[in-house]
Amino acid sequence: MSDVVLVDATTLIALGSVGRVDLLANFDGDVLVPETVIDEVTTEPARTNVSTFLDSQQVTDSVSDEFTADAQRLLGDERVHGDAELVAGVRSHHAEDRSVAVVSDDRRVRAVAEGLGATVTGTVGVVVRAVHEGMDPENAKSLIREIDSHGLHMTGELREKAFELIDDAAGD
C-alpha cells in the first residue's frame, strides 16, 4: 500500500466519462491530484464528474517549484503541465519518506514514475482494486467495456488481460 496516490488526467477522464471517479476512493493512501492535472480534464461529462469527486475529497496536491523544475528537466518539457506535476509529486513525497503510487494510462508518465520508485497502475488497475474491495466482477467487466467504448480504446489483448485481472481479484 502507498501513503500517497497521485492521479493523472488520463484516468480521471476515463473514469469521469462513465461517472465512476468515486472508484479512486478504494485506495488506502491519500488520493492527490495536482491542480494542473485537474485543468487538463476539459471534456464532459468527465469534468463535472471529476469536479464533484474533488468537492467531496481533500485531493489537490502542490509541490515546491524546485521539484517541479527538476521534473521538467527530467521530462525534457519546457512548460509546467500535469505530467511534470505528477513526477514532481513523486519526487516531493519520496523526499518526505512517503511511498507513492501513480495512477496513469500515459506510458511516459508510467515509465518515469516507475523509474523513480513509484508503484504504477492505470484505469484498469482502479477497476481491479474496486473488485478487491467488493465490486461484483461482472459489473467490473461491464465497466471495462463501458470505459473502452467511451474513449480509453483498449486493444483486445488489454481488455482480455483486464478481465483476467478482475477474475483473479474476485478469487482473492
Side-chain angles (χ1 to χ4, degrees):
M1 305 308 157
S2 297
D3 298 324
V4 175
V5 180
L6 299 168
V7 185
D8 192 12
T10 55
T11 299
L12 292 174
I13 293 166
L15 294 175
S17 294
V18 296
R20 293 310 310 261
V21 183
D22 63 301
L23 295 179
L24 293 169
N26 285 316
F27 288 101
D28 293 330
D30 296 330
V31 176
L32 303 175
V33 183
E35 288 290 337
T36 52
V37 169
I38 296 167
D39 293 342
E40 292 176 356
V41 182
T42 59
T43 58
E44 292 294 348
R47 184 163 185 78
T48 298
N49 289 328
V50 168
S51 179
T52 300
F53 176 74
L54 295 175
D55 287 344
S56 68
Q57 304 285 316
Q58 179 75 24
V59 295
T60 57
D61 189 31
S62 61
V63 296
S64 74
D65 290 342
E66 173 189 345
F67 286 111
T68 302
D70 181 54
Q72 284 178 264
R73 280 190 301 277
L74 184 64
L75 292 168
D77 292 338
E78 293 182 17
R79 65 178 185 85
V80 177
H81 52 79
D83 294 356
E85 289 290 324
L86 285 169
V87 171
V90 171
R91 301 292 290 251
S92 173
H93 292 292
H94 275 164
E96 296 171 359
D97 205 25
R98 300 179 80 191
S99 60
V100 181
V102 171
V103 183
S104 177
D105 296 317
D106 183 289
R107 287 181 189 201
R108 180 175 80 147
V109 169
R110 292 170 63 95
V112 172
E114 192 171 48
L116 293 173
T119 302
V120 176
T121 194
T123 301
V124 169
V126 174
V127 176
V128 170
R129 177 68 184 191
V131 173
H132 277 287
E133 296 297 319
M135 180 183 228
D136 177 75
E138 292 308 312
N139 290 344
K141 290 176 183 178
S142 293
L143 180 57
I144 291 292
R145 287 184 201 96
E146 187 177 4
I147 290 168
D148 184 26
S149 70
H150 280 83
L152 189 56
H153 301 298
M154 296 178 210
T155 63
E157 183 179 343
L158 177 58
R159 193 172 33 260
E160 289 305 313
K161 181 65 175 175
F163 292 165
E164 181 183 315
L165 292 168
I166 288 167
D167 289 338
D168 290 348
D172 287 347

